[in-house]
Amino acid sequence: MRVLLRVLAPLLGLALAAVGVLVVVEVVAAWIGSAGTTGSDGVIVPWPSWQQTLDGLLWATTPVRITAIVVAVVGLLLLLVALAARRHDVPLRPPAPDVTVTTSPQALARMVGRRVRAADAVSSAAVTASRRAISVRAQGWEPTDGGTGLAESVRGDVESLLDDLPLANRPRVSVAVRRQAGPR
Amino acid sequence: MTAATPDPAATPSTAARGSAVGLDTPPPQAGRHARRAVARSAGRDRWLVGLVGVVLLLAGTGAALLAFGVFGTGRAQRSVLDPMIVDALRAQPLLWRIVAIVGGLLLLVLGLLWAIRSLSPERRPDLALDAGADTTLTVTAAAVADAVAGQARALPGISRARARMVGDERDPALRLTVWLAEDADVGEVCRRIPEEVLAAATDAFGGRALPVAVRIEADTEEGPRVR
């Protein structure tokens, strides 16, 4: 969303500037035109013909309704882009007053994934992470000798990684495992 | 990976800062300057895009309600360019022309300023060091970045590092991005960056402590990286 915002912002700025130029040019031209010769046809945009069209168009017609809905939807989308374009940094405890340490949710998920997949009993794992929650979906083999279950051992791995990481807020950990059949 | 337990006795003597505050002691509020250096701010763009969105949303919703006859069917049956409004505008032509021209100029200036500021690249200020009464000593932004990034790259567990100056000349800060190697001990890297890299940087710049934002990424590289 931040990339989209970076693209949209200058485009919207230029669009506003273009509208401003058109308004100034047309108003000044019409002003000068009305003082001298009679009715011009617009310098850049043919606004007199737009005026005629709008004059004959009622509010309760389909094109007006569709245009209004499209404008509202575009506005809503812009608003959503602006709201969604916040940073999703995961803060770590700052080691000194003038230092901040952050990581990305992707990097955190990758670290967790590495740790989880390093276990022999895990064949594959998918991790999603944010500053508040880490969720692990792992696939692997339950121990045959009655030791700790797969879910508990995966959770233990994640918790031990979180012990190592100086995260500012410890995220909740949720683990879902799928038992894999067959030999290792 | 083993659990990293910070040992105050193992702190290198060069650690001018970072050593006083261990990672496991909750430090005072991290510096405002350092937090601002984490990433380029998108605050202005978010506000303005949101504002344009709200204006369009309100205008579109209002027009749709009017068109569907919510404000009365009589109103919906009038033409879009209502003669009543046109007559009101024509009664005061000079006033409305001036309003339109001023509004257009405002849109032009604000739109251009917004576009220019969101397109202009982030600044990389040089670092002015306090060298004495009649001497100025400037370290270029590239030199600071190279020095810090090189120092960070030398740490075990870090596969790549990139640093750059951010902010402005009066208020410079440093942004350091490090990529952890597959086999990195995350806790140890987090502890050694402030202790060794940032302390060395502070020493190199005549004891001037810059606000620093450290960004940790996990490298996806498989196998050796070709440079």
Side-chain angles (χ1 to χ4, degrees):
Chain A
M1 277 301 170
R2 281 176 83 81
V3 176
L4 189 57
L5 185 83
R6 294 272 296 143
V7 175
L8 273 178
L11 289 181
L12 280 177
L14 290 177
L16 288 184
V19 170
V21 168
L22 285 183
V23 168
V24 172
V25 167
E26 295 297 339
V27 170
V28 170
W31 197 347
I32 295 169
S34 72
T37 54
T38 48
S40 64
D41 200 33
V43 181
I44 302 170
V45 291
W47 60 267
S49 72
W50 293 0
Q51 192 180 8
Q52 272 177 5
T53 313
L54 291 181
D55 226 8
L57 200 62
L58 301 184
W59 279 104
T61 47
T62 315
V64 175
R65 288 174 176 170
I66 291 177
T67 310
I69 291 172
V70 168
V71 168
V73 168
V74 169
L76 183 66
L77 289 180
L78 287 181
L79 187 60
L80 290 180
V81 168
L83 290 177
R86 63 193 180 83
R87 286 208 299 266
H88 297 272
D89 297 345
V90 179
L92 276 70
R93 280 202 296 277
D98 242 3
V99 179
T100 73
V101 187
T102 54
T103 186
S104 61
Q106 291 82 4
L108 180 60
R110 216 168 272 156
M111 290 179 221
V112 172
R114 267 179 213 161
R115 178 69 72 95
V116 169
R117 286 182 208 109
D120 284 339
V122 175
S123 63
S124 67
V127 182
T128 50
S130 70
R131 72 166 74 185
R132 290 201 185 83
I134 293 177
S135 103
V136 182
R137 289 180 307 285
Q139 195 167 14
W141 297 272
E142 288 286 351
T144 46
D145 54 358
T148 6
L150 181 60
E152 286 85 79
S153 76
V154 168
R155 180 180 293 276
D157 285 342
V158 178
E159 296 287 354
S160 84
L161 176 74
L162 293 181
D163 289 339
D164 290 354
L165 271 179
L167 290 177
N169 308 299
R170 198 181 174 99
R172 281 192 322 277
V173 179
S174 62
V175 176
V177 291
R178 235 183 51 211
R179 250 235 210 96
Q180 185 136 332
R184 288 192 185 185
Chain B
M1 276 186 269
T2 54
T5 43
D7 178 9
T11 305
S13 57
T14 50
R17 46 203 279 277
S19 61
V21 190
L23 269 177
D24 286 335
T25 26
Q29 185 98 32
R32 196 166 46 87
H33 297 310
R35 274 206 307 278
R36 238 179 9 209
V38 170
R40 180 183 179 136
S41 168
R44 188 195 309 113
D45 286 354
R46 286 183 66 198
W47 265 107
L48 290 173
V49 169
L51 186 69
V52 172
V54 167
V55 169
L56 290 183
L57 180 61
L58 289 180
T61 313
L65 291 179
L66 182 60
F68 282 103
V70 176
F71 302 133
T73 43
R75 176 130 298 281
Q77 291 303 324
R78 295 182 72 92
S79 68
V80 175
L81 200 63
D82 203 314
M84 210 168 66
I85 294 169
V86 175
D87 288 344
L89 294 182
R90 284 203 172 125
Q92 296 269 357
L94 182 67
L95 172 73
W96 292 113
R97 276 171 184 156
I98 289 173
V99 167
I101 291 173
V102 169
L105 286 177
L106 269 181
L107 272 185
L108 171 65
V109 171
L110 293 181
L112 278 184
L113 275 182
W114 182 18
I116 289 169
R117 295 193 72 164
S118 71
L119 283 177
S120 65
E122 215 178 355
R123 299 185 58 187
R124 295 167 194 264
D126 291 338
L127 188 62
L129 297 183
D130 197 11
D134 44 359
T135 315
T136 54
L137 187 57
T138 305
V139 187
T140 62
V144 178
D146 281 350
V148 175
Q151 198 93 33
R153 242 175 257 132
L155 282 187
I158 291 183
S159 59
R160 281 185 288 159
R162 199 174 59 197
R164 64 162 292 165
M165 298 289 292
V166 292
D168 54 34
E169 270 79 11
R170 280 185 299 115
D171 212 6
L174 185 74
R175 182 184 303 156
L176 171 66
T177 311
V178 296
W179 281 266
L180 296 181
E182 292 261 353
D183 55 348
D185 181 337
V186 184
E188 191 187 332
V189 169
C190 291
R191 199 180 67 244
R192 288 179 70 172
I193 286 175
E195 279 179 2
E196 296 175 23
V197 179
L198 304 183
T202 307
D203 283 350
F205 305 133
R208 175 162 180 187
L210 288 176
V212 185
V214 180
R215 178 83 171 173
I216 296 177
E217 297 288 349
D219 219 340
T220 47
E221 302 300 323
E222 306 283 341
R225 182 178 165 81
V226 180
R227 286 184 193 278

